[in-house]
């Protein structure tokens, strides 16, 4: 990929960069996306599974879905896209990752400042007393229960639930103050996460989209790459580093 020289110069001068990521960045690690061409929710309706009422009605089914995804996530590794974003820390003064993913792959790739808007599949909590539980849950007697008798659920954000306030506030601040805002592998249809794109734009950030297809926000970005994120991000970081040494 031959990048425009002006883009490389612009990026070189940038100090604060945000990577806003979605399921597409983890697609190359073998984790299915929700929507888009190969999305799992072409077959399953998101709102029907990812909500608290469904969990109360049929916790076995919801746990079956999360246990299946947990297994895929455990067997996966960060890909070239996650690694390129972690490498960006060696290029820019400030790098913030704002992710909608629950898979922990940004941290595993080495990214230090990661805000998780929709939780993390490695944590769980009791719906009654809010006690947190680690990953090792006991499924031998069916859906895991807390000492207090309450059902244990994954610590993820379902439809109709508030995002963790500290994570969203920090993400919003980063979106407001960054020079460049990358939007990587997200359909940008889920709010309030997608509102960060508009916040970044209103505050003068340069918007770069990386996705394999057009999305809801494609019309408002400054630059788009319609190719897999692993390829684009690794080539882009390599070009910036090479140009820094010449
Ligand atoms: C690649 C690639 C490659 C593939 N390289 N790219 C009407 C209007 C506006 C908002 C609403 C509304 N009605 C209701 C709402 C609110 C609702 C919402 O946004 N709904 C819309 C869908 C209509 N939002 C909420 O409910 C949120 N909470 C909230 O609003 O609280 C306030 C409130 C409280 C109480 C009452 C009322 C309001 C919470 C949203 C929670 C979302 N949760 C999920 C599940 C998380 C846990 C889990 O993982 O199981 O989060 S849903 C799911 O969508 C998941 C994702 O994080 C999220 C976003 O998806 P993402 O990451 O964008 O993935 P995809 O699959 O959509 O896209 C992948 C992209 O990758 C595609 O574009 C591909 O092309 C691309 N791609 N390969 C580059 N190699
Ligand atoms: Zn409890």
């Amino acid at each position: 990929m031959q990048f425009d020289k002006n883009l490389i110069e612009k990026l070189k001068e940038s100090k604060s960069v945000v990577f806003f990521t979605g399921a597409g960045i983890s697609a190359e690690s073998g984790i299915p996306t929700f929507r888009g061409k190969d999305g799992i929710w072409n077959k399953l309706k998101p709102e029907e599974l990812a909500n608290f009422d469904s969990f109360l009605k049929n916790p076995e089914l919801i746990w079956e879905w999360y246990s299946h995804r947990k297994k895929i996530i455990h067997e996966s590794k960060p890909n070239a896209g996650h690694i390129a974003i972690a490498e960006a820390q060696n290029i820019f003064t400030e790098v913030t990752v704002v992710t909608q993913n629950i898979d922990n792959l940004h941290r595993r790739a080495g990214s230090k400042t990661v805000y998780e808007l929709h939780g993390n599949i490695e944590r769980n909590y009791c719906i009654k007393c809010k006690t947190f539980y680690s990953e090792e849950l006991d499924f031998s007697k069916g859906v895991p229960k807390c000492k207090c008798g309450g059902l244990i659920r994954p610590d993820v954000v379902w439809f109709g639930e508030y995002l963790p306030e500290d994570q969203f506030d920090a993400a919003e601040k980063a979106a407001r103050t960054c020079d460049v805002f990358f939007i990587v592998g997200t359909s940008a249809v889920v709010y309030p996460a997608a509102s960060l794109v508009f916040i970044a734009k209103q505050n003068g950030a340069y918007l770069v989209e990386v996705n394999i297809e057009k999305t809801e926000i494609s019309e408002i970005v400054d630059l788009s790459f319609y190719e897999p994120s692993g390829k684009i991000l690794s080539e882009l970081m390599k070009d910036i580093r090479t140009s820094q040494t010449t």
Side-chain angles (χ1 to χ4, degrees), residues 91-135:
I91 299 174
F92 305 103
T93 314
E94 198 177 2
V95 176
T96 305
V97 178
V98 177
T99 190
Q100 299 166 86
N101 300 343
I102 59 169
D103 59 25
N104 223 22
L105 288 180
H106 283 297
R107 285 220 181 79
R108 281 176 60 194
S111 284
K112 299 272 186 285
T113 306
V114 182
Y115 300 126
E116 294 171 323
L117 301 181
H118 295 159
N120 190 311
I121 203 165
E122 289 182 7
R123 297 187 304 258
N124 309 281
Y125 68 91
C126 165
I127 64 168
K128 223 163 145 190
C129 71
K130 312 288 181 237
T131 298
F132 272 83
Y133 285 84
S134 71
E135 271 193 278

Side-chain angles (χ1 to χ4, degrees), residues 46 51 67 71 92 117 119 125 128 135 142 149 152 170 181 193 213:
N51 79 74
S67 299
K71 186 168 180 289
F92 305 103
L117 301 181
Y125 68 91
K128 223 163 145 190
E135 271 193 278
I152 296 176
F181 190 87
E213 54 190 31

Side-chain angles (χ1 to χ4, degrees), residues 77-217:
K77 287 202 299 280
N79 66 53
H82 301 106
I83 293 166
I85 291 177
E87 277 172 10
Q89 295 170 139
N90 303 321
I91 299 174
F92 305 103
T93 314
E94 198 177 2
V95 176
T96 305
V97 178
V98 177
T99 190
Q100 299 166 86
N101 300 343
I102 59 169
D103 59 25
N104 223 22
L105 288 180
H106 283 297
R107 285 220 181 79
R108 281 176 60 194
S111 284
K112 299 272 186 285
T113 306
V114 182
Y115 300 126
E116 294 171 323
L117 301 181
H118 295 159
N120 190 311
I121 203 165
E122 289 182 7
R123 297 187 304 258
N124 309 281
Y125 68 91
C126 165
I127 64 168
K128 223 163 145 190
C129 71
K130 312 288 181 237
T131 298
F132 272 83
Y133 285 84
S134 71
E135 271 193 278
E136 294 83 39
L137 294 174
D138 180 10
F139 284 88
S140 62
K141 295 186 200 97
V143 170
K145 286 206 174 125
C146 175
K147 288 187 282 296
C148 81
L151 293 172
I152 296 176
R153 61 165 280 181
D155 185 16
V156 298
V157 180
W158 287 327
F159 285 107
E161 295 182 328
Y162 289 103
L163 276 57
E165 206 179 330
D166 58 335
Q167 302 293 292
F168 190 77
D169 288 353
E172 192 182 11
K173 185 169 174 230
R176 251 191 281 116
T177 53
C178 67
D179 302 314
V180 183
F181 190 87
F182 283 93
I183 304 137
V184 186
T186 175
S187 56
V189 294
V190 174
Y191 283 79
S195 67
L196 294 172
V197 176
F198 299 91
I199 291 170
K201 190 173 174 73
Q202 276 156 14
N203 287 280
Y206 186 74
L207 265 48
V208 183
E209 179 175 44
V210 184
N211 200 303
I212 50 172
E213 54 190 31
K214 278 199 167 194
T215 69
E216 294 284 309
I217 50 93

